[in-house]
Amino acid sequence: MGDAWAVCKPFVTGSLAGCIAGTIVQPIDIVKVRIQVGAAEGGSTSPAVIARQILHNEGFRGFYQGITGMIARQVLYTGSRLGLYDKFTAMALSKPGEALPFWKSSVCALSAGGIAAVIGNPADLSLIRMQTDTMLPEAQRRNYRHVLHAFATIVRQEGALGLLEGAGPTATRAMALNFGMLAFNSKAKELLAAMGCTKGGAVQVLGGAVTGGFFGSVFSLPFDFVKTQMQKMKPDPHTGELPFKGPIDCALKTVRAGGPLRFYAGFPAYFARTGPVSAITLIAQDALKKMWKTVGL
């Protein structure tokens, strides 16, 4: 039991931390995704306008559209990336207790993010489609009832590989997010400890979490924009052609349509979602680790 728990503990901790944070910021995530879709299709990119539209058209429940997809994504993706990061950093240490060089923590973060993104892609794909479904004409809606229904429908209509639609940009985005979030969180904690902050104290934990949340948002938004466009695209009803041939084609068309700053459409809403969710995740992760120690696990 002890050995099994030691192996599973980082992943269980990451999954629980992700679910706590994801539930809190789900309404902001809905607004962020719809802003990105609106930016690509010429619709509104105002967070206030989008929020009012959701409330008016779908009611309060609209802000929790795709909640089952979010939970599945946090368990599969966040659990994997935080768990793998802890495993990789432990393996990278030359001796217990030493400070890991920034380049090593960066490599660990990038590797954990890429691997976790592939593991969590089915849930991420389902979440994006569920969150944007009501924006489609009624005849084109997928009408997924929950995440398991989404998985089954995708496999039936698109084949098993359909679950990996957009895995490339999803992995790239996850690597950028993990690099900004985890590597900078670790570095900020190290610097705060050197400045005299108590190790594991509120100042160190909060400071590292906020720093990781900010840099995670800055590095990942362009990749998140492309990922969203790839995952929600549908064939043209007349020609049967998809709007983008791949992530690079999507990026090039985005630049031609609105310049490089188009990738940062909705940055305030994205940071309002990604910054806090990263910070809350890291704070929850630290709290859960302390709880395991307190109860002897």
Side-chain angles (χ1 to χ4, degrees):
M1 173 64 181
D3 290 342
W5 173 242
V7 172
C8 296
K9 183 164 69 172
F11 301 97
V12 173
T13 303
S15 296
L16 290 174
C19 287
I20 292 168
T23 301
I24 293 171
V25 303
Q26 172 75 358
I28 301 174
D29 193 40
I30 286 278
V31 173
K32 181 269 296 183
V33 168
R34 296 195 181 184
I35 284 174
Q36 292 179 335
V37 174
E41 298 180 353
S44 174
T45 58
S46 166
V49 171
I50 296 291
R52 281 199 301 269
Q53 288 175 346
I54 294 172
L55 194 59
H56 180 265
N57 297 330
E58 304 166 50
F60 183 76
R61 291 182 61 186
F63 290 107
Y64 282 88
Q65 183 75 23
I67 187 70
T68 57
M70 182 280 293
I71 293 172
R73 180 179 183 274
Q74 296 299 337
V75 170
L76 294 173
Y77 167 61
T78 305
S80 296
R81 70 187 176 99
L82 295 183
L84 288 171
Y85 180 73
D86 281 354
K87 290 289 187 182
F88 291 164
T89 52
M91 293 166 58
L93 289 173
S94 301
K95 56 183 179 181
E98 72 170 353
L100 200 65
F102 184 70
W103 73 267
K104 281 190 176 182
S105 60
S106 298
V107 171
C108 292
L110 290 166
S111 302
I115 295 170
V118 176
I119 294 172
N121 195 78
D124 194 56
L125 173 65
S126 302
L127 176 61
I128 292 293
R129 290 185 176 182
M130 292 167 77
Q131 288 180 332
T132 60
D133 204 41
T134 57
M135 299 179 71
L136 296 171
E138 193 166 347
Q140 296 181 31
R141 293 178 186 175
R142 297 179 173 93
N143 296 315
Y144 298 149
R145 294 192 297 273
H146 47 73
V147 68
L148 295 179
H149 180 238
F151 288 171
T153 304
I154 291 169
V155 171
R156 185 173 65 253
Q157 296 179 350
E158 305 170 41
L161 290 179
L163 293 170
L164 295 179
E165 177 71 39
T170 299
T172 307
R173 181 258 187 193
M175 292 170 72
L177 175 62
N178 242 33
F179 167 65
M181 175 181 168
L182 299 182
F184 281 85
N185 170 64
S186 296
K187 188 63 178 178
K189 282 183 169 180
E190 179 187 331
L191 293 174
L192 287 168
M195 292 167 60
C197 295
T198 304
K199 187 175 182 181
V203 173
Q204 190 202 36
V205 171
L206 182 60
V210 171
T211 302
F214 175 76
F215 282 102
S217 300
V218 170
F219 284 111
S220 65
L221 180 53
F223 302 102
D224 187 81
F225 186 95
V226 172
K227 174 186 75 74
T228 297
Q229 305 311 314
M230 293 293 298
Q231 290 186 325
K232 66 93 183 176
M233 66 180 179
K234 289 179 70 72
D236 185 282
H238 303 293
T239 65
E241 294 183 1
L242 291 169
F244 309 115
K245 297 182 178 68
I248 295 176
D249 181 51
C250 177
L252 291 174
K253 286 182 177 178
T254 299
V255 171
R256 283 197 293 268
L261 290 179
R262 176 63 67 85
F263 291 114
Y264 283 89
F267 180 77
Y270 183 75
F271 178 63
R273 183 266 177 192
T274 306
V277 78
S278 298
I280 295 168
T281 299
L282 292 169
I283 292 169
Q285 183 189 35
D286 276 323
L288 287 166
K289 287 179 178 180
K290 290 177 182 177
M291 185 187 74
W292 301 141
K293 288 182 181 179
T294 301
V295 299
L297 291 176

